[in-house]
Amino acid sequence: MCDASINDALPPPRRKVVPGMCIKCKVTKPSISIRRTLYCKDCFVKASIVKFRAALTKSRKRVELPQTKVLVALSGGAASSAMLKLTADFINMERRGTDAEPPFTGVVVGHVDESCLFPGSQEDEICAIAAESGHPYFKVALEDVFAPGEGQLALLELVKASIAPGATRDQFCARLVEPAQTDSQADQLKALFAGLTSATDKEDMLDIVKTALIMRLARKLECGAVLLGDSATRTAVKVMALTGHGRGLSLPLEAGTESKWFHGVVVVRPMRDYVVKEIAFFNRWTRQRAAFVPTFTTGGPRRASIGRLAEAFIVELDRDFPSTVPTVCRTLQKLEPRAEALAARPCVVCGMPAELDAHAWRSRLTISNAQDTEQLPVPVEASAPDLLDITSCLCYSCQNMLHHTTPGTVLPRFCTTQLQNAVDSTASANNHNDLRAKIEEFLIDDSDGSDSEHNQMQ
C-alpha cells in the first residue's frame, strides 16, 4: 500500500532513451546532435516541421492573426529556402484532417531581384526554387523603388536630400525635384548607392529598400502577413548590428518574432528557433536547394561594416559558447516596444519610429573638434524657399547615414510619401506647417486617391 501511494505521487517517467540510438524512433543510429539530443535523419526532418508548426501557431495566436493570405519572402538563401519548404509541409500537415480549417487562405512567394546591383546573383536558381514550391511567384526589381506611381502625378517628384554647405550641425535639408527624363530607374538606383560613402550605409539602405518593396508587394497582393526567414543566428547578429546603429528604440519591431508596425501587414519570423547549422542539415536531407545571395561586404574583411563585424563576433563567440545565440534571442523576446515608439511618427527614410529630438540627443553624444561645433552662418542657399528642413523627421540611425551621404543624392520614391505623412502629423506642428507650405503643390488631394497610396507605402 505504501509503495503504491508513493508510485502514484511520482511524476510520469521520462521518455525512454536507448543509448546510441535516435531519441525519437529508438531504432536508428543518430545522424545529428542538437543540444545533446540525438536524431536520425527522418526524425530530425519531422521534428523540424513540428517546431516550425509550433512557432507559427504561437505567433498567429499572439498577434491574433485571422485567416488571411500570406506572403513568403524568398531571398534565395538557405534560411528563406528552408522556410518555403517548411511552410508547404506545415500546410500539408494541417490539411490532413478532413475537417481541418486551412491555416491561410492562400500562400504566395515574393522575391526582390537584386541583379541591378549584383550582376552575379543567381536569379534563375531562385526562380526555380520558387517554382518547385507550387505556390504563385511574384518578383519585383530593386530599381522599382523609383517607378512612378500609377495615376499619382504628384508622387512623380522625388526627394533630393542634401546637407546644405555650411549649415549648422545636424541640420538636414532636402528639396523636391523631378527626375531627369534620360535617367532610367536602374541608373537612379545605382546613383543612390553611389552617394552612400560606407558599406554600412549601403547595407542599411539595401535593407530599407527591400523591406519597402516586400511590404508594397504584400499590400498589392492583399496579403495580411509576411513571413521572413531570419534564423536564430541571423537574429542574434541583427540585434548586435541594430544596437550598434543606434536603433534600440525600434529593436523589438525590426528583430522581434512578430511585428504589427507596418499598417495592414503583420510581419512574422517563424525561423527564430533554428540556428544556421540546423537549416543547413535540413536543406541537405530534404534536398532543398538554395542560392548564393551576394551583398556589399561579400568576401570582405570582418571590419568592412558594422553588420559584418557583428556577424563575426556572434559566430566566433558561439563557436566557444554554444549558448550565445539562444541567450541573445531569449533576451530579445523579453523586449517590448515602448509606448513612445508605437506613438512616434515613422522616419522619412527607414519608416521606423523617429524619436523626438533625436538630432539634439545625437549632438550631445557627438565628439568632434571644437572648430566643427562652432555655429557657422547659414548660406543663402540654405534659406531658399524650395529647401526643406527634414531633421525632425529622421530617426537617429538615418541621421547618421545621411550625415555622410553625398549632397545631391536622390532618395527612393517612398520617402516622398513618408515625408508627406510626416507633414500631416500633428507632432511639431509649427515646423511641419512650414514644410507643408513648401510642398503644398506636390501634395495629393483625397479625391485623387491619396489614401490608397498612403496605405500602400506606409
Side-chain angles (χ1 to χ4, degrees):
M1 296 290 295
C2 182
D3 293 340
S5 61
I6 293 176
N7 291 334
D8 294 339
L10 293 176
R14 297 182 62 184
R15 183 167 46 190
K16 183 180 178 181
V17 177
V18 179
M21 293 298 175
C22 173
I23 189 66
K24 288 286 187 180
C25 63
K26 302 178 180 58
V27 295
T28 308
K29 290 186 177 181
S31 301
I32 186 174
S33 175
I34 302 177
R35 301 177 187 89
R36 298 183 180 181
T37 303
L38 304 178
Y39 292 94
C40 65
K41 293 182 181 180
D42 294 338
C43 291
F44 168 75
V45 172
K46 294 178 182 178
S48 299
I49 298 174
V50 171
K51 183 164 63 173
F52 181 84
R53 176 188 182 185
L56 196 54
T57 302
K58 290 179 181 178
S59 296
R60 291 175 60 197
K61 291 181 179 179
R62 279 195 291 261
V63 297
E64 299 178 355
L65 183 64
Q67 222 181 3
T68 182
K69 185 191 296 185
V70 64
L71 184 143
V72 180
L74 177 66
S75 66
S80 63
S81 299
M83 181 180 64
L84 182 60
K85 171 70 173 175
L86 288 167
T87 302
D89 294 336
F90 166 72
I91 295 176
N92 294 334
M93 182 179 294
E94 290 289 320
R95 289 178 178 176
R96 287 180 181 177
T98 55
D99 298 333
E101 184 180 4
F104 305 112
T105 57
V107 177
V108 297
V109 182
H111 170 65
V112 178
D113 185 353
E114 305 176 34
S115 58
C116 179
L117 292 180
F118 309 105
S121 58
Q122 302 176 348
E123 293 300 326
D124 294 339
E125 180 70 13
I126 297 174
C127 293
I129 294 173
E132 291 178 354
S133 67
H135 300 298
Y137 172 61
F138 297 90
K139 180 173 67 174
V140 293
L142 203 61
E143 58 269 25
D144 287 347
V145 289
F146 289 101
E150 298 180 1
Q152 306 293 341
L153 299 180
L155 290 180
L156 292 176
E157 308 298 331
L158 303 178
V159 175
K160 182 179 181 182
S162 62
I163 303 175
T168 308
R169 170 178 293 277
D170 288 339
Q171 182 180 4
F172 299 90
C173 298
R175 61 164 58 91
L176 296 174
V177 298
E178 295 183 3
Q181 298 294 334
T182 57
D183 293 340
S184 64
Q185 298 174 17
D187 293 336
Q188 296 177 49
L189 179 69
K190 293 177 181 179
L192 167 64
F193 285 92
L196 302 174
T197 56
S198 68
T200 297
D201 294 341
K202 292 180 180 180
E203 288 183 342
D204 290 347
M205 181 59 71
L206 181 61
D207 290 338
I208 291 171
V209 171
K210 289 166 64 176
T211 300
L213 288 173
I214 286 294
M215 294 302 150
R216 186 169 69 181
L217 179 62
R219 294 188 179 98
K220 179 180 179 181
L221 300 177
E222 299 180 351
C223 296
V226 172
L227 304 185
L228 299 181
D230 291 342
S231 64
T233 307
R234 172 59 183 164
T235 300
V237 172
K238 203 171 183 179
V239 169
M240 294 297 149
L242 291 176
T243 303
H245 283 91
R247 288 188 174 275
L249 185 68
S250 60
L251 184 60
L253 302 175
E254 293 191 70
T257 308
E258 307 94 11
S259 176
K260 301 177 70 173
W261 172 255
F262 300 96
H263 299 284
V265 178
V266 178
V267 175
V268 181
R269 298 175 176 88
M271 301 295 291
R272 271 274 305 272
D273 296 331
Y274 300 82
V275 296
V276 290
K277 288 185 178 180
E278 290 181 78
I279 295 174
F281 278 106
F282 177 83
N283 289 345
R284 178 182 178 183
W285 290 338
T286 59
R287 298 182 179 180
Q288 176 64 33
R289 295 189 295 176
F292 171 69
V293 182
T295 185
F296 291 103
T297 57
T298 299
R302 56 183 298 169
R303 295 186 179 182
S305 67
I306 292 179
R308 181 71 181 87
L309 184 61
E311 180 182 10
F313 171 73
I314 290 294
V315 171
E316 293 178 5
L317 188 62
D318 191 69
R319 185 181 305 160
D320 298 327
F321 302 94
S323 61
T324 299
V325 169
T327 300
V328 174
C329 292
R330 285 196 299 267
T331 304
L332 173 64
Q333 195 171 0
K334 297 178 182 179
L335 300 180
E336 296 289 341
R338 300 176 61 180
E340 51 264 37
L342 297 177
R345 60 180 178 270
C347 172
V348 168
V349 178
C350 67
M352 287 291 113
E355 57 270 40
L356 295 176
D357 299 328
H359 58 289
W361 183 65
R362 180 176 177 272
S363 298
R364 290 195 299 268
L365 296 178
T366 301
I367 301 176
S368 59
N369 296 329
Q371 297 178 352
D372 296 336
T373 59
E374 296 179 357
Q375 297 292 332
L376 299 177
V378 179
V380 178
E381 297 178 357
S383 59
D386 61 336
L387 283 185
L388 312 171
D389 185 2
I390 62 172
T391 308
S392 60
C393 304
L394 298 171
C395 67
Y396 170 81
S397 180
C398 289
Q399 288 186 21
N400 289 334
M401 179 174 62
L402 295 185
H403 185 74
H404 302 95
T405 302
T406 304
T409 302
V410 180
L411 297 178
R413 185 175 297 276
F414 60 80
C415 295
T416 310
T417 304
Q418 292 177 164
L419 175 62
Q420 178 179 339
N421 297 337
V423 171
D424 294 336
S425 175
T426 56
S428 303
N430 294 333
N431 183 31
H432 285 174
N433 286 338
D434 296 338
L435 284 176
R436 171 172 284 277
K438 293 183 178 182
I439 67 173
E440 188 71 34
E441 60 178 307
F442 299 97
L443 298 181
I444 308 171
D445 296 333
D446 293 339
S447 59
D448 295 333
S450 62
D451 292 340
S452 60
E453 182 66 20
H454 171 77
N455 294 332
Q456 290 179 2
M457 298 299 297
Q458 188 171 7

